[in-house]
Amino acid sequence: MDCIRFLEGIGDKTVDLAVVDPPYNLKVDKWDTFESQEDFLKFTFAWMDCLVPKLKETAGLYVFNTPFNSAYMLQHLVEQGLMFQNWITWDKRDGMSYTKKRYANGQETILFFTKSGKYTFNHDDIRVPYESVQRIEHAKTRGILKNGKRWYPNSRGRMCGEIWHMSSERHKVKVNGKVQRLPHKTVKPLDMIKRIITASSNEGDLVIDCFAGSGTTALACKQLNRNFIGCDSNEQYVLSARRRIRTGVIHI
Ligand SMILES: C[S@@+](CC[C@H](N)C(=O)[O-])C[C@H]1O[C@@H](n2cnc3c(N)ncnc32)[C@H](O)[C@@H]1O
């Protein structure tokens, strides 16, 4: 169903985490095509205004988009009283567009907001490997002197930063080295969505995705023991998402 009708059916202050990957107005498909940028922003602000009251006071909200659109979205969410936490840059590695007139696009933005200053953030569960392996190996036994104190590396790695280098799902699912056409054009990497859910929710929490697409958020929730509700306006996507949730794999 349509996201607005779906959101209207949800109780206020019931959602622990919203992971929202909406249209970008890049015309990658019919559902991503708007008459004008004004129309696109009108649509975007409408779903945002419906979603915000559904979030608990302790909730988090992640919104995907282009850096350009994210600037408008950030301003609107601040005006709705949400607290800005991070502007995450997803370096898509293989997502370059081949223009010769400006720098090649290779990133998407993920805005991270919270409803208030009191929210879940499981920083230890999303640590990433240290980059300077040799130095860290040395520091494990002797530590590193920092401001007069000895610092020892965390066995789970360093804190996760705001720049995420992750290959897009299309490039991960290869058959005989060939990139496959997936049933959905904009499938988000499962490991990226799992990072978001691990950081910003706990087992048993309620996660919402009102643009579910191929069901990436739903599958991540199942694997991480979170509850999930979501919708998509395209029935075929909902059917293939259900199959993906059931089987754990995306059917090409
Ligand atoms: C960027 S895709 C989401 C992809 C998803 N994150 C995944 O990993 O597969 C956006 C989705 O929003 C859906 N959509 C577009 N307009 C909608 C609306 N008004 N209400 C509900 N869903 C909508 C599209 O059908 C599309 O599947």
Side-chain angles (χ1 to χ4, degrees), residues 168-182:
S168 59
E169 204 65 16
R170 214 162 61 84
H171 286 262
K172 279 193 214 145
V173 192
K174 285 186 182 169
V175 177
N176 295 331
K178 275 194 183 157
V179 173
Q180 298 300 299
R181 187 187 282 263
L182 299 178

Side-chain angles (χ1 to χ4, degrees), residues 88-92 106-108 110 164 166 168 188-189 192:
I88 298 163
T89 296
W90 172 27
D91 161 23
K92 297 172 74 175
Q107 62 167 298
E108 289 186 23
I110 311 164
W164 295 1
M166 287 176 162
S168 59
K188 287 288 178 295
M192 184 164 70

Side-chain angles (χ1 to χ4, degrees), residues 6 19 22 29 71 102 110 122 127 170 177 187 189 197:
F6 167 75
V19 182
D29 214 326
R102 56 193 170 109
I110 311 164
N122 302 313
R127 283 180 177 271
R170 214 162 61 84
V187 179
I197 292 170

Side-chain angles (χ1 to χ4, degrees), residues 90-205:
W90 172 27
D91 161 23
K92 297 172 74 175
R93 308 217 137 170
D94 39 35
M96 296 289 207
S97 75
Y98 298 99
T99 174
K100 288 185 178 160
K101 293 209 160 184
R102 56 193 170 109
Y103 302 102
N105 302 126
Q107 62 167 298
E108 289 186 23
T109 300
I110 311 164
L111 294 177
F112 170 34
F113 275 85
T114 55
K115 192 85 182 268
S116 71
K118 191 171 171 274
Y119 57 94
T120 300
F121 195 71
N122 302 313
H123 67 277
D124 269 339
D125 296 339
I126 53 155
R127 283 180 177 271
V128 294
Y130 290 103
E131 269 156 23
S132 49
V133 180
Q134 256 183 338
R135 195 159 170 253
I136 293 301
E137 220 26 69
H138 181 76
K140 272 185 194 165
T141 44
R142 298 183 168 202
I144 293 175
L145 209 53
K146 267 190 180 175
N147 304 327
K149 280 188 184 163
R150 229 160 243 289
W151 172 87
Y152 290 89
N154 190 302
S155 59
R156 298 173 79 177
R158 67 177 166 87
M159 289 280 287
C160 183
E162 295 177 306
I163 314 286
W164 295 1
H165 308 280
M166 287 176 162
S167 294
S168 59
E169 204 65 16
R170 214 162 61 84
H171 286 262
K172 279 193 214 145
V173 192
K174 285 186 182 169
V175 177
N176 295 331
K178 275 194 183 157
V179 173
Q180 298 300 299
R181 187 187 282 263
L182 299 178
H184 194 288
K185 283 192 177 150
T186 65
V187 179
K188 287 288 178 295
L190 184 63
D191 48 355
M192 184 164 70
I193 303 297
K194 283 175 90 168
R195 174 182 285 174
I196 289 173
I197 292 170
T198 303
S200 290
S201 68
N202 295 309
E203 287 200 5
D205 277 358

Side-chain angles (χ1 to χ4, degrees), residues 1-6 19-24 28-32 34 43 47 64-65 108 169 184-190 193 209-217 231-235 237-238 241 244 250:
M1 64 169 73
D2 182 78
C3 60
I4 302 284
R5 194 155 76 85
F6 167 75
V19 182
V20 190
D21 180 21
Y24 288 22
V28 297
D29 214 326
K30 229 170 148 184
W31 53 260
D32 196 40
F34 293 78
F43 162 81
W47 67 253
F64 288 81
N65 230 280
E108 289 186 23
E169 204 65 16
H184 194 288
K185 283 192 177 150
T186 65
V187 179
K188 287 288 178 295
L190 184 63
I193 303 297
D209 176 354
C210 47
F211 300 96
S214 65
T216 312
T217 310
C231 79
D232 198 286
S233 54
N234 182 315
E235 198 178 350
Y237 293 159
V238 174
R244 186 178 179 204
I250 196 153

